[in-house]
Each structure stands twice: as structure tokens, then as C-alpha cells.
Amino acid sequence: MGERLKVFAFVAILGFFAGIVADVTATYVIPALIAILPSLGALTRYILSGLAGAFLTLILVSVWAYVTGSSET
């Protein structure tokens, strides 16, 4: 039971930091990129939000895979 609680706590901490990164991205990065790339118009926000979500998911899954490791060893 203790190992499961550690995994839940670790996932909660990762989610907390992912939320901070998402908030900073939405507050500062996306508006700056919208100003730089006005040619995409209204789609810029959605494209950049999708890319940020994909990037965060990739990082979270990579960290998860690294931490849990292989069950064969």
C-alpha cells in the first residue's frame, strides 16, 4: 500500500508542476507568440495550446516511464 501511495503522490506533484507550466504558458508565452505570429489569426492560440499540451504530456509520460522503470529487471 505504501508504494501505491508514493506513486499517487508523485503523479500529483507532476500534475501540480504541469499546471504551473500550463498557466505560465497561457499567461506569457502564448500572448507573446500571438503577437509575433499574427498571420495565423485566431488559430494561433489553439495551435500553440495544442502543442503545449502535447509537449507536457510527452514530458509527463517520459518521466513516468523513467521513474517506474521496467518490471523485468
Side-chain angles (χ1 to χ4, degrees), residues 2-73:
E3 189 66 29
R4 186 175 291 184
L5 186 60
K6 288 179 188 176
V7 170
F8 283 138
F10 182 71
V11 170
I13 291 169
L14 281 178
F16 177 77
F17 286 116
I20 291 172
V21 170
D23 181 59
V24 169
T25 301
T27 304
Y28 300 108
V29 176
I30 290 177
L33 289 175
I34 288 173
I36 293 171
L37 302 170
S39 62
L40 295 176
L43 292 177
T44 305
R45 180 180 174 122
Y46 300 112
I47 291 170
L48 294 175
S49 295
L51 290 173
F55 183 71
L56 285 173
T57 303
L58 182 63
I59 289 174
L60 289 173
V61 170
S62 298
V63 169
W64 175 266
Y66 179 76
V67 169
T68 58
S70 176
S71 60
E72 295 176 5
T73 58

